[in-house]
């Protein structure tokens, strides 16, 4: 009888083994292990930043459209503002971008009727200057965000940058502080974050400099700005140029070594695309962002040895422009009032989720990030005269910004991987090849016993059943489940049809140390629950 029982158990074990072998042949079974003691760093809210540039219809016809029945008394589009608020924009970069390198802020303040129109040379438009510093600050207040200004390090002077800081941050007394008051803005704005130019490593930048000349100018500009407003935080223009004849590491090396005592952040930019229509290559592109983060992290660590920073934090990384951008990149689509109007699909949304996972996985060093841009211009929100819709990329950003906070955890992810071919990540850039790309791309945050897992299933057609194990404590109660997905990776949203959006799914029962969840193909899932 006993023997029989053993045999029966053996048969059952054999059966289970064959089932699990069958499963691994037909579909992988993955594992995510959570250990709340394995922390990476605090997620800074400023990674959920955005960007408003005077480019195409980002400002005019985007956030600002005086005279439109859809706008309020300040000329702000109410429908757009509501969508912007949904993104919890923690930080808004302004006014450029390439635009800033020939922007003279005095053109955009004072009575509207006296503002001078200018040729906008970066993106070939007429800049009316009807929207400027004070209009932007009104907008920032209305959406409850924090401003992040860039000064003109191209055609601008160190004196012009100093005067802008005085206009914005000095309460009273000197000429530019009094000018702000005369313009009707009694209280200073106390703008804390300022970047020393934009993409100064790029030959396309108006007033482009070599690294040594940039550092000299940035150092002197920083000096005057800090003497005017001592509490400000400064961001150096790091690498944006990854074309074959550029040397981004040399640029960053010089910037970090020359400005290591001066700046608080180094700005990096990345745009990726799928011009060859290769889904798996494209889905791996956030890993390039992670590799570049690693390289710059090493450079920062080296320079921080022996830096003379007093009690200030070490230099952090600001990915202050990131996104998918490759369709609206012909000479025609980069000019005029309809410039850079990229229409996004589901695979783009998955790549954006991948970027956000990278920022969280590197939360100890990436303390700022700005999706480029906010409205119409490579943006999550798209308008017409009659209305707006939320593009696919809106939804992962919204889910992260609303849920992923606290401490970033170093979770173990055990799943199948794939290798890519050699490919271009963006137009004009050098090529890359990625090995061992995990099908599951994961980040985790933990705060007050709440755990949030952000998971992209990169697999095009396989659902991935995953054991999620808690190694420190037990799951406690149901998990909320949100999913961004669609019928097809090429699905786009449009006016009246937001097919790709975040959908709240049935809650997941979670008791004990193990939960099982099946991540659908080509999806982004956010799981939120508790650990006791
Ligand atoms: O975001 C669009 C443009 O991309 C910005 O103006 C510039 O900084 C970058 O090249």
């Amino acid at each position: 009888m006993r023997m029989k029982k053993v045999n029966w158990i053996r048969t059952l074990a054999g059966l289970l083994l064959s089932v699990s072998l069958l499963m691994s042949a037909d579909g992988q079974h993955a594992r995510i292990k959570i250990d709340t003691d394995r922390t990476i760093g605090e997620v800074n809210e400023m990674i959920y930043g955005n960007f408003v540039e005077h480019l195409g219809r980002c400002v005019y016809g985007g956030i600002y459209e005086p005279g439109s029945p859809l706008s309020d008394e300040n000329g702000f589009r109410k429908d757009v503002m509501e969508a912007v608020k949904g993104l919890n924009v923690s930080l808004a970069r302004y006014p450029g971008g390439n635009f800033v390198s020939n922007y003279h802020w005095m053109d955009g303040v004072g009575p509207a009727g006296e503002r001078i129109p200018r040729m906008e040379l970066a993106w070939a438009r007429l800049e009316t200057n009807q929207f400027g510093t004070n209009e932007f600050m009104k907008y920032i207040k209305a959406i409850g965000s924090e401003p992040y200004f860039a000064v003109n390090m191209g055609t601008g002077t160190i004196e012009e940058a100093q005067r802008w800081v005085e206009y914005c941050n000095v309460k009273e007394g000197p000429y530019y502080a009094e000018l702000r008051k005369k313009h009707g803005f009694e209280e200073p704005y106390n703008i804390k974050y300022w970047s020393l130019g934009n993409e100064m490593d790029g030959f396309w930048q108006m007033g482009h400099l070599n690294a040594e000349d940039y550092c000299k100018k940035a150092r002197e500009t920083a000096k005057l700005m800090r003497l005017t407003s001592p509490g400000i935080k400064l961001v150096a223009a790091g690498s944006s140029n990854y074309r074959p004849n550029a040397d981004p590491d040399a640029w960053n090396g010089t910037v970090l070594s020359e400005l290591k005592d001066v700046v608080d952040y180094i700005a990096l930019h990345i745009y990726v695309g799928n011009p060859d229509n290769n889904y798996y290559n494209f889905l791996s592109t956030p890993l390039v962002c992670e590799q570049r983060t690693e390289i710059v992290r090493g450079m920062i660590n080296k320079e921080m040895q022996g830096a003379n920073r007093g009690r200030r934090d070490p230099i952090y990384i600001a990915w202050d422009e990131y996104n998918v951008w490759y369709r609206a990149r012909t000479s025609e689509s980069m000019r005029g009032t309809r410039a850079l109007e990229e229409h996004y699909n589901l695979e783009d949304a998955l790549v954006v989720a991948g970027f956000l996972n990278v920022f969280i996985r590197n939360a100890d060093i990436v303390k700022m990030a700005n999706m480029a841009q906010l409205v119409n211009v490579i943006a999550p929100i798209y308008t017409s005269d009659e209305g707006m819709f939320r593009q696919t990329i809106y939804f992962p950003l919204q889910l992260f910004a609303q849920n992923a906070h606290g401490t970033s955890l170093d979770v173990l992810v055990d799943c199948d991987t794939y290798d890519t071919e050699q490919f271009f990540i963006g137009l004009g850039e050098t090529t890359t090849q990625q090995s061992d790309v995990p099908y599951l791309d994961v980040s985790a945050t933990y705060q007050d016993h709440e755990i949030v897992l952000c998971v992209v299933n990169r697999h095009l057609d396989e659902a991935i059943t995953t054991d999620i194990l808690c190694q420190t404590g037990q799951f406690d109660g149901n998990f909320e489940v949100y999913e961004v997905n669609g019928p097809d990776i090429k699905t786009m949203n449009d006016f009246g049809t937001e097919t790709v959006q975040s959908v709240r799914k049935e809650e997941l029962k979670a008791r004990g140390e193990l939960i099982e969840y099946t991540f659908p193909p080509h999806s982004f899932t956010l799981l939120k629950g508790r650990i006791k």
Side-chain angles (χ1 to χ4, degrees):
M1 188 63 191
R2 196 176 153 75
M3 271 300 286
K4 256 190 176 170
K5 192 174 175 194
V6 170
N7 280 345
W8 167 237
I9 289 168
R10 273 200 191 130
T11 317
L12 189 67
L15 250 171
L16 282 174
L17 186 68
S18 345
V19 168
S20 77
L21 282 176
L22 258 177
M23 274 189 71
S24 52
D26 283 348
Q28 48 180 306
H29 198 108
R31 283 184 313 148
I32 297 173
K33 279 162 95 177
I34 300 165
D35 178 341
T36 53
D37 293 330
R38 291 184 65 92
T39 60
I40 295 172
E42 285 307 294
V43 173
N44 194 303
E45 288 303 304
M46 291 197 305
I47 66 165
Y48 304 124
N50 217 294
F51 177 26
V52 173
E53 178 168 4
H54 285 243
L55 195 179
R57 297 188 303 132
C58 186
V59 173
Y60 306 104
I63 63 176
Y64 183 69
E65 202 169 7
S68 161
L70 299 174
S71 297
D72 65 15
E73 65 289 354
N74 292 313
F76 299 145
R77 279 277 297 259
K78 288 183 279 189
D79 53 343
V80 173
M81 191 182 287
E82 201 187 317
V84 168
K85 283 183 181 166
L87 287 175
N88 284 4
V89 179
S90 54
L91 181 78
R93 183 169 177 248
Y94 177 80
N98 295 345
F99 168 79
V100 80
S101 295
N102 193 31
Y103 178 58
H104 300 287
W105 67 270
M106 281 285 288
D107 290 345
V109 295
E114 291 170 22
R115 298 204 194 163
I116 304 168
R118 300 269 187 203
M119 274 179 90
E120 201 293 281
L121 301 176
W123 307 104
R125 266 186 327 111
L126 177 74
E127 174 54 60
T128 63
N129 282 308
Q130 290 302 301
F131 190 97
T133 303
N134 298 307
E135 289 75 22
F136 181 72
M137 289 308 297
K138 248 186 216 163
Y139 198 73
I140 282 293
K141 205 166 167 210
I143 63 171
S145 188
E146 168 107 31
Y148 165 30
F149 277 19
V151 300
N152 176 355
M153 293 283 290
T155 64
T157 63
I158 63 177
E159 187 181 52
E160 184 181 12
Q162 182 278 329
R163 289 174 175 177
W164 202 8
V165 178
E166 181 183 311
Y167 184 89
C168 294
N169 286 9
V170 176
K171 187 168 167 53
E172 60 198 355
Y175 178 79
Y176 292 97
E178 291 299 324
L179 186 65
R180 182 200 66 245
K181 287 168 62 186
K182 194 170 140 208
H183 291 159
F185 306 95
E186 189 60 30
E187 290 306 314
Y189 297 125
N190 295 322
I191 293 166
K192 187 168 171 189
Y193 299 97
W194 295 82
S195 79
L196 299 162
N198 172 71
E199 295 192 347
M200 294 302 293
D201 64 329
F203 59 85
W204 57 87
Q205 205 63 217
M206 294 177 283
H208 162 59
L209 297 169
N210 66 34
E212 288 71 24
D213 289 346
Y214 168 69
C215 291
K216 271 189 211 150
K217 190 168 177 182
R219 174 185 291 280
E220 294 311 307
T221 309
K223 189 191 288 171
L224 267 70
M225 291 168 76
R226 277 231 173 82
L227 286 169
T228 308
S229 184
I232 57 176
K233 300 268 184 199
L234 295 173
V235 184
S239 57
S240 67
N241 187 359
Y242 284 82
R243 286 166 172 75
N245 57 2
D247 192 343
D249 296 343
W251 176 276
N252 290 335
T254 305
V255 166
L256 286 167
S257 126
E258 293 297 314
L259 300 177
K260 62 171 173 276
D261 300 337
V262 176
V263 299
D264 301 287
Y265 299 83
I266 180 167
L268 307 176
H269 291 179
I270 185 165
Y271 291 104
V272 299
N274 188 14
D276 300 328
N277 194 20
N278 184 320
Y279 169 82
Y280 281 113
N281 287 353
F282 184 41
L283 265 279
S284 77
T285 52
L287 298 183
V288 176
C289 178
E290 196 148 25
Q291 286 146 6
R292 291 180 186 173
T293 301
E294 278 312 302
I295 291 168
V296 177
R297 174 203 293 278
M299 290 179 165
I300 292 174
N301 287 343
K302 175 172 165 268
E303 291 301 338
M304 288 303 95
Q305 323 259 327
N308 185 13
R309 299 179 61 79
R311 296 164 67 90
R312 284 156 64 198
D313 284 349
I315 292 177
Y316 293 128
I317 293 174
W319 279 104
D320 71 6
E321 286 186 33
Y322 73 91
N323 208 344
V324 174
W325 174 25
Y326 68 104
R327 302 168 181 94
R329 251 192 137 149
T330 58
S331 50
E332 261 326 284
S333 60
M334 293 202 2
R335 296 169 60 80
T337 51
R338 308 294 299 214
L340 275 61
E341 300 208 348
E342 193 99 357
H343 196 171
Y344 291 109
N345 61 23
L346 173 60
E347 64 184 14
D348 301 323
L350 301 182
V351 167
V352 163
F355 277 126
L356 292 160
N357 272 344
V358 169
F359 303 149
I360 289 182
R361 283 198 296 265
N362 293 277
D364 56 328
I365 191 94
V366 177
K367 296 288 183 186
M368 182 193 289
N370 302 72
M371 176 186 270
Q373 301 190 1
L374 188 57
V375 188
N376 291 327
V377 172
I378 45 174
I381 298 164
Y382 191 85
T383 69
S384 72
D385 294 347
E386 283 93 43
M388 50 80 50
F389 72 91
R390 295 170 298 174
Q391 298 233 46
T392 60
I393 61 169
Y394 181 96
F395 296 97
L397 181 60
Q398 180 185 41
L399 280 174
F400 273 91
Q402 291 187 352
N403 297 290
H405 310 291
T407 306
S408 166
L409 298 182
D410 180 15
V411 290
L412 179 135
V413 181
D414 175 21
C415 66
D416 287 357
T417 61
Y418 67 92
D419 297 337
T420 75
E421 303 152 2
Q422 190 81 21
F423 70 104
F424 286 97
I425 69 152
L427 289 189
E429 290 222 358
T430 42
T431 59
T432 186
Q433 189 273 325
Q434 301 292 320
S435 300
D436 301 321
V437 181
Y439 282 105
L440 289 187
D441 180 58
V442 184
S443 75
T445 55
Y446 186 60
Q447 176 170 261
D448 301 331
H449 296 280
E450 184 181 272
I451 179 87
V452 173
L453 283 178
C454 293
V455 182
V456 177
N457 178 3
R458 294 183 169 116
H459 211 294
L460 184 56
D461 35 45
E462 269 183 25
I464 302 182
T465 299
T466 306
D467 285 343
I468 303 171
L469 295 140
C470 180
Q471 297 187 292
T472 39
Q474 306 223 321
F475 296 120
D476 181 25
N478 288 358
F479 267 59
E480 291 170 27
V481 182
Y482 302 87
E483 187 182 302
V484 179
N485 205 343
D488 182 85
I489 51 165
K490 301 296 181 190
T491 307
M492 292 175 161
N493 294 348
D494 216 325
F495 294 102
T497 49
E498 289 180 346
T499 312
V500 175
Q501 50 175 286
S502 68
V503 175
R504 187 163 182 178
K505 314 287 276 193
E506 195 186 323
E507 291 199 349
L508 182 63
K509 287 205 172 47
R511 294 272 181 282
E513 287 148 17
L514 172 71
I515 53 179
E516 190 187 85
Y517 191 74
T518 300
F519 297 100
H522 56 68
S523 64
F524 168 62
T525 306
L526 186 142
L527 298 173
K528 181 157 94 174
R530 295 189 62 77
I531 291 177
K532 66 173 178 192

